[in-house]
Structure formats: C-alpha cells, structure tokens
C-alpha cells in the first residue's frame, strides 16, 4: 500500500474501503515501505495490519506476515493480490492448510507482454510454487476480458471472475483545467520498460512537438535507473525541452497534475487495467491509450483514442488531440465521466466482489454471471 506501487495498490485500497462500507468484515495485510521517501497510503484506517518491512529476499519473504497468518484462524476467505512473491504464496498455503477458499488477483502479471519482462527467477518461482497455487485457487480475479483471456492462454483452468477496478464517486468531477493556452499531455505511472515511454517520446518528436505551445509531463517513480537514463538521453539528444520528468508525486500532487493537463497518454506494451485511465476520465480528461491496454471503450464511448502500439499511431493521436475543437473536447470529457459513472465506480465493483466472496464461501448457490 505504497505510493510507488501505483494503480494496483490504489485499486486495492479503494476496494478495501468500500467492502467495509458494504458490511464485509475485512482485514488488509501489507508491509510498510522499504525505500526512503516512499509513502504508506493506508494511514489512519482501521482494519489494516501494516508490518515493518522484512522482505529480505527478492521474493519478499516476510516472517512478520507468516507469523500473523499462522496465529490468526478467524478468516473465512483469503484474497491475495499479485503473484511472484512470498506473501501470495504463504496466503495460498495458509488457506489450503485450513481448507478455506482463496482468490488471487493477478494484476496483469500473466499477460503475454508482461511475461516477456519476467526474470528467470520469477519463472522458476511460478513453476515451483505459484502455478500449483493458481490451479488450486477457488477463483482468479481479472480486471478485464483481455486479462481473463491471457490467464486462459497461460494454460490455467481455474475459474476467472472479471471485475474491473473502481473509482470512488467523490473523485468523479470535471475539474477546471489550467487556462494557459498550452496543449499539455501527461503520462502518469511507474517509469518501467513495460510502460513503453520511449515510444511516447519518439512519437512526441515525430509529431513535431519538440517546441511550441505543447508540453509533456512524465510523472512517476522509477526503480530502473538504466531505463530512466535512456529516456533522459533521448530528450537531450532530440532537444525535447518541453518534456518534463516530475518524479514520484503525492496523491495531492497528482491531482494538481490532473488540473493542468488536457490529455492523459498510456503507451504501455502490457496493462491489465490501467487505473490512471478511469481516474483521468473521471476528471473529464480524454485519454490516448495503446492496444497493449484493455481500453477499446475510449473509441466506442468517444472519450479518447485507442491506437496501435507504434510511434506513428501515437504521433497521429497526439496531433488529432491538439487539433480537437473545444466543443468536441468538452463532449469527450462528458462522455468519459458518463462511462466511469456507468461501469467503474468502486461501489459497483465492490458489490460484485462481495457477491463473489459469498459464492465461493458457499453462502450463495447462484453462480455470478461474471465468472468464466
């Protein structure tokens, strides 16, 4: 539950808050940040057990988490988030030993493009432990149909529940944008090779946006110094003086970014959901996303562009966005807010998750229609 953990953490925290509001007795287990300057986002909430970070190996082996799980027998159901790590392994192992159902939300980690960036060590961990745990789970959770298809193509036959991530209703507002005549775009998220930021920079240059009344903000933390250096070298080589790297921002800082930009760009090679997309749409901001993301609704709902994952397509979308008349821009913003209200509020998503919990716990005989 750290600021640097991105959309998966914020989506999980939103779900936790709303499950409590809907009367589900929920405890959330997590480790505190281990990097200086990172921020724990679950402060002040009852029901969160945050342990001092003791993940001493690359797979985050935690004695604190193991001791807590072994000493607390009151849980009826276990729900792990993410794979490749010891916390999910020990959660599944605990559930199996106590003959309790468990769910794993894979957060896009089995998507084909994400697997290309997976280390040999993670593949060994999957083979030794987590493949069996995925197969024995009561259900896996995918946030989109595309992610569910990726899970099935990975050869896993466990039932999959498709439930998107949700936005809190109080975050849905068409905020007033900065009135400074700058066509400002932003990428918001982790600075990581799978996010394909180099293609966005290349498209920015190809579109002829290296100077003038345009600006691109690259916002997010980075644990890959080599990749960040590659991006910075590109901006220097091609003199992209209107591209700014802001570093990791607080939630308040990110909200200020939403107040300054006209468009969000998500150029990822792989994305199971992309929490920043509904966050931007909820703020009346149209989005450009590539087909490495599951956001075809940007086209069908007319609130952005869903384009091929190449520099030419991204460059054309950037140009189209800057040339969009203000009346059309306002309509796109309204369409985005409507889409979020209809499908992506956390109230709706948590209600589905509660229904899933009731079904796999044996408290309901009605199989939800979102399980495949």
């Amino acid at each position: 539950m750290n600021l640097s953990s991105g959309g998966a953490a914020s989506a999980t925290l939103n779900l936790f808050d709303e499950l409590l509001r809907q009367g589900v007795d929920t405890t959330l287990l997590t480790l505190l940040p281990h990097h200086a300057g990172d921020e724990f986002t679950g402060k002040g909430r009852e029901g969160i057990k945050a342990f001092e970070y003791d993940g001493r190996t690359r797979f985050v082996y935690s004695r604190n988490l193991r001791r807590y799980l072994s000493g607390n027998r009151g849980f009826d159901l276990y729900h792990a988030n993410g794979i490749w790590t010891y916390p999910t392994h020990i959660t599944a192992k605990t559930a199996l030993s106590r003959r309790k159902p468990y769910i794993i939300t894979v957060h896009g980690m089995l998507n084909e493009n994400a697997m290309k960036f997976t280390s040999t060590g993670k593949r060994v961990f999957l083979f030794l432990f987590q493949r069996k745990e995925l197969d024995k789970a009561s259900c896996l959770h995918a946030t989109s149909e595309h992610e569910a298809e990726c899970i099935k193509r990975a050869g896993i036959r466990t039932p999959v529940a498709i439930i998107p991530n949700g936005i809190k209703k109080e975050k849905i507002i068409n905020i007033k944008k900065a009135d400074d005549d700058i066509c400002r775009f932003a990428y918001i998220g982790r600075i990581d090779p799978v996010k394909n930021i180099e293609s966005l920079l290349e498209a920015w240059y190809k579109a002829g946006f290296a100077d003038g009344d345009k600006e691109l903000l690259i916002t997010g933390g980075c644990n890959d110094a080599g990749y960040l250096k590659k991006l910075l070298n590109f901006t220097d080589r091609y003199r992209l003086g209107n591209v700014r790297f802001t570093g990791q921002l607080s939630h308040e800082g990110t909200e200020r970014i939403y107040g300054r930009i006209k468009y969000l760009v998500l150029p990822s090679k792989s994305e199971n959901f992309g929490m920043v997309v509904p966050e931007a749409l909820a703020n009346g901001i149209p989005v450009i996303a590539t087909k490495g993301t599951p956001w075809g609704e940007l086209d069908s709902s007319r609130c952005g562009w869903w384009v091929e994952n190449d520099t030419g397509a991204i460059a054309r979308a950037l140009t189209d966005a800057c040339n969009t008349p203000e009346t059309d821009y306002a309509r796109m913003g309204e369409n985005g807010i409507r889409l979020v209200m209809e499908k992506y509020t956390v109230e709706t998503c948590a209600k589905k998750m509660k229904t899933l919990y009731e079904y796999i716990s044996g408290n309901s005989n009605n199989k939800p229609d979102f399980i495949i």
Side-chain angles (χ1 to χ4, degrees), residues 153-351:
R153 283 199 293 270
I156 296 167
R157 298 292 173 252
T158 307
V160 179
I162 303 174
I163 304 174
N165 293 329
I167 297 290
K168 293 184 177 182
K169 281 185 177 179
E170 59 265 29
K171 296 291 185 181
I172 303 175
I173 179 171
N174 194 353
I175 61 175
K176 180 175 171 53
K177 312 299 185 300
D179 187 18
D180 55 10
D181 297 324
I182 294 178
C183 190
R184 186 176 287 113
F185 298 78
Y187 163 83
I188 300 174
R190 286 182 298 113
I191 296 178
D192 184 275
V194 77
K195 301 299 185 177
N196 199 31
I197 301 167
E198 67 272 21
S199 289
L200 173 56
L201 296 179
E202 291 168 12
W204 188 261
Y205 177 77
K206 189 171 185 176
F209 288 1
D211 51 30
D213 57 347
K214 316 284 192 306
E215 188 175 45
L216 174 62
L217 305 178
I218 308 294
T219 296
C222 180
N223 292 325
D224 188 335
Y227 182 62
L228 179 59
K229 183 177 180 180
K230 173 184 174 181
L231 300 178
L232 292 171
N233 287 343
F234 185 93
T235 61
D236 289 341
R237 186 182 314 122
Y238 291 95
R239 299 180 181 179
L240 303 182
N242 55 3
V243 175
R244 293 203 303 110
F245 289 77
T246 71
Q248 182 71 62
L249 297 179
S250 65
H251 286 300
E252 294 76 14
T254 301
E255 288 177 359
R256 286 194 292 272
I257 291 288
Y258 283 134
R260 298 182 60 207
I261 64 174
K262 288 195 72 172
Y263 298 100
L264 178 84
V265 189
L266 188 63
S268 301
K269 294 177 182 177
S270 177
E271 201 77 53
N272 69 301
F273 187 73
M275 194 67 180
V276 291
V277 174
E279 286 177 354
L281 296 177
N283 284 293
I285 299 169
V287 176
I288 298 169
T290 59
K291 292 186 178 179
T293 74
W295 282 100
E297 287 172 311
L298 296 173
D299 280 345
S300 60
S301 295
R302 299 185 179 181
C303 52
W305 294 261
W306 194 50
V307 301
E308 295 296 333
N309 204 332
D310 63 69
T311 57
I314 298 171
R316 287 189 293 274
L318 292 172
T319 302
D320 289 346
C322 276
N323 292 333
T324 298
E326 283 302 316
T327 53
D328 292 344
Y329 177 84
R331 191 174 302 113
M332 292 175 76
E334 293 168 0
N335 291 342
I337 292 172
R338 187 178 305 113
L339 174 62
V340 174
M341 286 293 293
E342 290 174 354
K343 293 187 63 175
Y344 298 109
T345 65
V346 72
E347 291 86 353
T348 298
C349 301
K351 185 176 180 180

Side-chain angles (χ1 to χ4, degrees), residues 59-232:
F59 297 108
V60 201
Y61 172 74
S62 170
R63 287 188 177 90
N64 289 331
L65 186 61
R66 177 176 57 80
R67 287 169 182 159
Y68 183 88
L69 286 170
S70 65
N72 288 269
R73 295 183 168 273
F75 298 116
D76 302 300
L77 177 148
Y78 296 80
H79 185 167
N81 281 268
I83 57 175
W84 313 127
T85 61
Y86 179 80
T88 292
H89 165 64
I90 191 60
T91 300
K93 184 178 179 180
T94 300
L96 288 169
S97 69
R98 293 179 181 164
R99 298 182 180 180
K100 298 292 185 180
Y102 68 93
I103 300 167
I104 298 176
T105 299
V106 298
H107 288 295
M109 296 176 188
L110 290 174
N111 292 14
E112 289 96 332
N113 283 326
M115 291 289 284
K116 293 177 183 176
F117 292 88
T118 297
S119 68
T120 300
K122 286 183 177 179
R123 291 178 186 275
V124 171
F125 193 80
L126 178 66
F127 176 77
L128 291 177
F129 300 109
Q130 299 216 308
R131 177 55 189 259
K132 292 179 181 178
E133 292 157 3
L134 291 166
D135 286 338
K136 291 182 178 180
S138 302
C139 192
L140 302 182
H141 168 217
T143 55
S144 65
E145 290 184 9
H146 171 71
E147 185 180 18
E149 291 167 2
C150 289
I151 292 169
K152 296 301 183 184
R153 283 199 293 270
I156 296 167
R157 298 292 173 252
T158 307
V160 179
I162 303 174
I163 304 174
N165 293 329
I167 297 290
K168 293 184 177 182
K169 281 185 177 179
E170 59 265 29
K171 296 291 185 181
I172 303 175
I173 179 171
N174 194 353
I175 61 175
K176 180 175 171 53
K177 312 299 185 300
D179 187 18
D180 55 10
D181 297 324
I182 294 178
C183 190
R184 186 176 287 113
F185 298 78
Y187 163 83
I188 300 174
R190 286 182 298 113
I191 296 178
D192 184 275
V194 77
K195 301 299 185 177
N196 199 31
I197 301 167
E198 67 272 21
S199 289
L200 173 56
L201 296 179
E202 291 168 12
W204 188 261
Y205 177 77
K206 189 171 185 176
F209 288 1
D211 51 30
D213 57 347
K214 316 284 192 306
E215 188 175 45
L216 174 62
L217 305 178
I218 308 294
T219 296
C222 180
N223 292 325
D224 188 335
Y227 182 62
L228 179 59
K229 183 177 180 180
K230 173 184 174 181
L231 300 178
L232 292 171

